[in-house]
Amino acid sequence: MAQKKALISGISGQDGAYLAKLLLEKGYEVHGTARDAQMSTFYNLQLIGIKDQITFHSMALNDFRSVLQVLDKVKPDEIYNLAGQSSVGLSFDQPVETLESISVGTLNLLEAIRFTGRSIKLYNAGSSECFGNTGGHPADEETPFRPRSPYAVAKATAFWEVANYREAYNLFACTGILFNHESPLRPERFVTKKIVKAACRIAAGSSEKLHLGNISIARDWGSAEEYVEAMWLMLQQDQPEDFVIATGETNTLEDFVAAVFEAVGLNWCEHVISDPSLLRPSEIMVSRGNPAKALQKLGWQAKRKMRDVIELIIDAEQKSKIEG
Ligand code: NDP
């Protein structure tokens, strides 16, 4: 069988790195894009030791010509669209950049696939943020979207673009509606990594305080390394369909903080300060997912829950300190 070719947009990010590793292990030829591939260090790929096995291309998703050019050059069998402004918090400060990179970006990819006329399969990185507040109801593929941030609005738009192109033009395109997933590769801008880093510094003697916004919010936290497998599985099905990917276990941010500090031998109450300047203009209070369809159709189920993921990130953080 001919070697399959995959193109990953946003390969420099957390998910891009783990997905590239998985696809290389499965024998794929892996191509990855960054907005400026010559300037990027691809640090995550270097960290997990696969950088020299990937072919890089510059691609600006909001520029149709650039997208078309890369598709024409690479001629991929599968595209994984992971690029775009990915922070909910930042999306309140950069709403236009967020909307363009996610919704115009996804539309350009769909149009370029259609234009090439090739049978390219597309995975689109959707988000549980689209559901908004469900009142504690576990969201599944039928749950309506009520986005509460510019990021979620952009992801909801991209979701419907994918659904529309699938229906209208018979493209093999699907969206994975992924709940939060974490790993040692998460940047510190995200609260989970910020908490782990601060707790490790305090445990090592720092007298700093950790400033956090609303810690009563609740999320479903899983492992990025496991979630990329679900992305790949979606493109191996006979029919393109959307899937919710979650662990099914929801915890508050306070639970997360307590578990991190406990793991490094500290009591979080002595080190955390509530900071109203970190509150978001609008927030999802409880995020709950129902991944039953993924288990039934993809045979995928999360093995690692919040505490396992915390352990992984703390281990990596402490090792990186030892290794300098
Ligand atoms: P990252 O932020 O780690 O990576 C996203 C990549 O997108 C970056 O490496 C960057 O690549 C590119 N990018 C960033 N900002 C822009 C922008 N303004 N315009 C165009 N490209 C940009 O994200 P993750 O790996 O964590 O997530 C992958 C995808 O999954 C994202 O689309 C994210 O929104 C989505 N998602 C993630 C979840 C999570 O919990 N991690 C949950 C649900 C969805 P470069 O700078 O090299 O161009």
Side-chain angles (χ1 to χ4, degrees), residues 188-208:
E188 204 174 339
R189 159 149 51 87
F190 290 87
V191 72
T192 44
K193 189 64 174 286
K194 174 179 159 179
I195 294 164
V196 170
K197 276 195 161 284
C200 289
R201 282 194 303 266
I202 296 168
S206 165
S207 57
E208 70 191 272

Side-chain angles (χ1 to χ4, degrees), residues 12-15 34-35 82 84 86 97 101 126 151 155 181 186:
S12 65
Q14 169 189 263
D15 292 5
R35 283 165 291 179
L82 310 182
S86 70
E97 171 74 14
S101 62
Y151 170 80
K155 285 289 187 193
H181 44 282
R186 223 11 172 173

Side-chain angles (χ1 to χ4, degrees), residues 25 44 46 53 86 121 145 161 183 198 213 230 245 249 316:
E25 284 163 4
N44 284 338
Q46 213 168 308
Q53 297 173 59
S86 70
K121 294 181 174 182
F145 287 169
E161 288 166 358
S183 77
I245 302 297
E249 178 190 288

Side-chain angles (χ1 to χ4, degrees), residues 83-100:
Q85 199 297 98
S86 70
S87 157
V88 175
L90 188 62
S91 79
F92 287 99
D93 298 325
Q94 299 182 358
V96 176
E97 171 74 14
T98 303
L99 200 80
E100 271 193 11

Side-chain angles (χ1 to χ4, degrees), residues 13 19 58 86 91 184 231-232 298:
L19 178 64
S58 291
S86 70
S91 79
M231 298 176 188
W232 173 75
L298 303 177

